[in-house]
Amino acid sequence: STVKELGGTPAPKPKTQFDLMDAETVLQTAADVENLGAAAYLGQAGAIKSPDILAAALSIHSVEGRHAATLNTLTGQTITPDGAFAEPADAQTVLDSVQPFIVS
């Protein structure tokens, strides 16, 4: 199910710009974004009322975590930076973190 099919309104897609000047920067930016994505999904899980949307969010969260773990390994970081239990990020933290990448 999509957000629209379930009666919601998706947020507008922002225009973004990332620093892609070299492979190391691309990998580090990807690791940062994937770790943030996993934390963002976890941070909003408690606010999701629809079982269908929650199931979708949790499935995305687990994939974000796998991406983050792989990129953390490639960038020399610990595979699980928060330890055994992932740390959620609240909406304001996520918005503040992505603001440098938003151009409109």
Side-chain angles (χ1 to χ4, degrees):
S1 298
T2 67
V3 172
K4 283 183 180 181
E5 290 171 347
L6 294 169
T9 303
K13 183 178 179 180
K15 289 186 181 179
T16 57
Q17 183 173 341
F18 295 92
D19 181 4
L20 306 175
M21 59 191 294
D22 57 53
E24 185 177 326
T25 302
V26 170
L27 279 174
Q28 187 59 58
T29 300
D32 292 346
V33 169
E34 292 294 339
N35 280 285
L36 181 63
Y41 277 98
L42 183 58
Q44 292 304 305
I48 300 172
K49 304 300 182 215
S50 164
D52 290 335
I53 295 289
L54 181 59
L58 291 176
S59 69
I60 295 167
H61 171 262
S62 68
V63 173
E64 293 291 319
R66 287 183 221 141
H67 292 163
T70 300
L71 288 159
N72 288 347
T73 299
L74 291 172
T75 57
Q77 300 173 77
T78 181
I79 198 166
T80 54
D82 299 327
F85 297 96
E87 293 287 328
D90 62 47
Q92 192 59 57
T93 298
V94 173
L95 291 172
D96 291 346
S97 297
V98 300
Q99 191 57 48
F101 306 120
I102 307 296
V103 293
S104 72

